Amino acid sequence: MRRLIVSTLIAAGLFQVGTLQAQNHCTVADMKGDFATQPQGILTEGPYAGPFAATGVIHFDGAGRFSGVATSSFNGGVIFPFDAVGQYGVTPDCFVTILETTLRIAFEGYLSHTKNEVTLFQPDPGAVTVNTLRRQLISHCTTAGLKDTWAIQAAGSNILTGGKCAQNGRLKFDGNGNFAGVTASSVNGEIVRATVTGTYRVDDQCTFLGRIVDKDGVISHIFGTLFDGGAQFIFIYSDDGLVVSGQGRRAVDVD
């Protein structure tokens, strides 16, 4: 009887270990779906040497291929739309490799425990770049869905002036394509506060375009992607000369 109990316990333990191992096993199918992407860093060699940033959305087919669209700024030279295509792999221990085949840009990294995020870096010589993929968790978007109060943050470089900048702000989106709010920017350490207004449009792939006008009438443009079920977004300024990207989160609505 004792042998039977011991054998049963061992068998149960082996089954549990096997179940845990199965749960931790990864395949390319684990990345099927749409992910927001925002690589940023510095390229130290080649024709695009200098600060680099991009923002976009990538669709993984669950079988090793992907496609997507992004706005990319290579040392202030903006490419939009940039149609990204390529292949990816996922090993059983959840190591991810990605190769964008148009520009031959590679990334590698690891799936999070939820399999909704992938932390990446670019292993190419001459690149000092990191990236995080975040699952969108939202299948359809409209302009009406981007509304209420959002806190934003951005940082980067102005290649034309040589300036470094950081920005914080709070914007109110009305769901009809208009927004207004306040921003505080540090440009080479000088603080500039401004009221801004603007317009925006969201497409059904959950990317959006925005046009911002500050108190002096200066116009800027952004491209962004919603994710996290529509509770967050990432964006990049799409004006030539800028390598500035950022993020936004739903904030407390003070009205």
Side-chain angles (χ1 to χ4, degrees):
M1 182 66 177
R2 182 178 179 183
R3 287 183 180 179
L4 177 61
I5 293 173
V6 171
S7 298
T8 302
L9 290 173
I10 291 174
L14 290 174
F15 175 77
Q16 184 178 24
V17 170
T19 301
L20 290 173
Q21 288 176 341
Q23 290 175 343
N24 292 332
H25 181 79
C26 291
T27 71
V28 290
D30 287 311
M31 285 182 61
K32 183 176 182 179
D34 297 326
F35 285 76
T37 179
Q38 193 173 56
Q40 51 193 323
I42 298 172
L43 304 180
T44 61
E45 1 179 295
Y48 304 113
F52 162 73
T55 293
V57 60
I58 298 176
H59 173 75
F60 294 90
D61 68 359
R65 304 290 300 179
F66 71 85
S67 61
V69 62
T71 291
S72 303
S73 179
F74 293 89
N75 198 34
V78 173
I79 304 174
F80 174 76
F82 175 71
D83 295 318
V85 294
Q87 57 199 39
Y88 73 102
V90 182
T91 63
D93 64 351
C94 306
F95 180 70
V96 177
T97 56
I98 297 173
L99 176 63
E100 198 288 315
T101 53
T102 301
L103 296 180
R104 307 297 298 181
I105 297 175
F107 285 97
E108 63 179 45
Y110 304 92
L111 271 163
S112 71
H113 77 286
T114 63
K115 299 182 180 179
N116 288 329
E117 293 189 355
V118 188
T119 57
L120 300 166
F121 103 114
Q122 187 175 346
D124 300 323
V128 187
T129 303
V130 296
N131 188 9
T132 300
L133 300 180
R134 299 176 174 91
R135 196 181 294 275
Q136 284 189 312
L137 296 173
I138 184 171
S139 59
H140 179 70
C141 294
T142 65
T143 298
L146 179 51
K147 59 185 300 185
D148 300 326
T149 302
W150 290 70
I152 64 164
Q153 181 186 74
S157 302
N158 186 324
I159 304 303
L160 300 178
T161 65
K164 307 295 183 182
C165 63
Q167 185 180 64
N168 200 35
R170 185 167 62 186
L171 303 178
K172 176 81 169 183
F173 294 84
D174 68 0
N176 293 312
N178 302 286
F179 67 85
V182 294
T183 61
S185 302
S186 175
V187 182
N188 288 340
E190 180 180 348
I191 307 303
V192 179
R193 301 183 186 275
T195 57
V196 298
T197 59
T199 58
Y200 67 99
R201 175 174 56 84
V202 182
D203 67 20
D204 60 1
Q205 296 185 36
C206 300
T207 63
F208 63 88
L209 297 173
R211 180 178 183 271
I212 305 171
V213 183
D214 70 12
K215 61 182 178 60
D216 298 319
V218 177
I219 298 173
S220 303
H221 301 85
I222 60 172
F223 169 82
T225 302
L226 287 151
F227 68 98
D228 190 20
Q232 300 186 65
F233 62 65
I234 51 178
F235 67 94
I236 185 172
Y237 280 86
S238 55
D239 301 298
D240 281 331
L242 297 180
V243 191
V244 180
S245 58
Q247 58 188 318
R249 291 179 171 82
R250 286 189 178 274
V252 176
D253 195 342
V254 294
D255 291 341

